[in-house]
Amino acid sequence: DFEFSANLANDISPVRQLRDEMGATSLNDASKMIDESKSLANCEGEQPIYSSLGEDPSFSKLVELLVAEIPERIRLFHELYNARNLVELERLAHQMKGVVGSYGFREAYSPAAELEAAIRRDAPLDTIKERLNILCETIARLSAGSSTSMSKRA
């Protein structure tokens, strides 16, 4: 399990570097970035998406790391699209598809797969942008913890 978990953590290391460059040094900073990305993605007030692994102690820290890095991923997705770097955008969508699937965020898998497929089939840019927006709106809702732990707090 640890080796598998370590491999998943390595999948998000390039984004960790971006986070460091942007100055997010704590979970609180990362939380602020997530709030900003939700605002940018126009998904304020939407229901959070929890990982099916959120209560598994061997994955909970990895899920927290992924969630903390979502704002950088969203920024990078938009940066790549704006630069029309579709090769890297497709690669990042493919990587996101694997990461959200591995981390138990089933709702985010299809939007990532749809963006990747749109780029692969040379869809028009407006279609790619639409798929990108759907993916970013979805991943901005990813939350650490679990729905049951959140309902216990209420």
Side-chain angles (χ1 to χ4, degrees):
D1 278 345
F2 178 74
E3 184 178 325
F4 178 68
S5 299
N7 289 338
L8 289 176
N10 288 336
D11 286 343
I12 59 176
S13 61
V15 179
R16 187 173 298 114
Q17 180 181 354
L18 288 173
R19 179 192 67 205
D20 293 343
E21 290 171 7
M22 293 178 70
T25 57
S26 69
L27 285 178
N28 193 30
D29 287 345
S31 178
K32 289 177 187 174
M33 292 174 136
I34 291 169
D35 291 342
E36 289 173 15
S37 70
K38 288 178 180 177
S39 178
L40 287 172
N42 294 323
C43 66
E44 288 289 337
E46 293 286 330
Q47 289 293 325
I49 299 171
Y50 296 103
S51 168
S52 61
L53 304 173
E55 292 183 358
D56 183 336
S58 62
F59 282 95
S60 61
K61 292 294 182 194
L62 291 172
V63 169
E64 288 175 17
L65 282 172
L66 173 64
V67 169
E69 293 179 347
I70 290 300
E72 291 86 22
R73 295 243 181 178
I74 291 172
R75 185 188 63 76
L76 185 56
F77 273 118
H78 287 291
E79 184 179 298
L80 292 171
Y81 176 82
N82 290 336
R84 299 304 189 257
N85 188 342
L86 299 182
V87 170
E88 284 301 305
L89 186 62
E90 178 186 352
R91 186 189 63 75
L92 190 60
H94 177 78
Q95 182 185 46
M96 179 61 69
K97 179 180 74 171
V99 169
V100 297
S102 297
Y103 280 69
F105 289 107
R106 291 184 192 105
E107 289 180 55
Y109 184 88
S110 290
E114 289 171 11
L115 173 59
E116 179 186 20
I119 296 167
R120 281 198 178 159
R121 72 172 185 272
D122 293 322
L125 283 176
D126 59 336
T127 300
I128 292 170
K129 179 68 172 174
E130 178 184 315
R131 299 290 186 261
L132 173 63
N133 287 337
I134 291 168
L135 174 60
C136 289
E137 289 170 6
T138 303
I139 64 174
R141 295 171 42 215
L142 300 185
S143 296
S146 68
S147 58
T148 57
S149 66
M150 294 301 126
S151 63
K152 289 177 187 175
R153 290 184 189 174

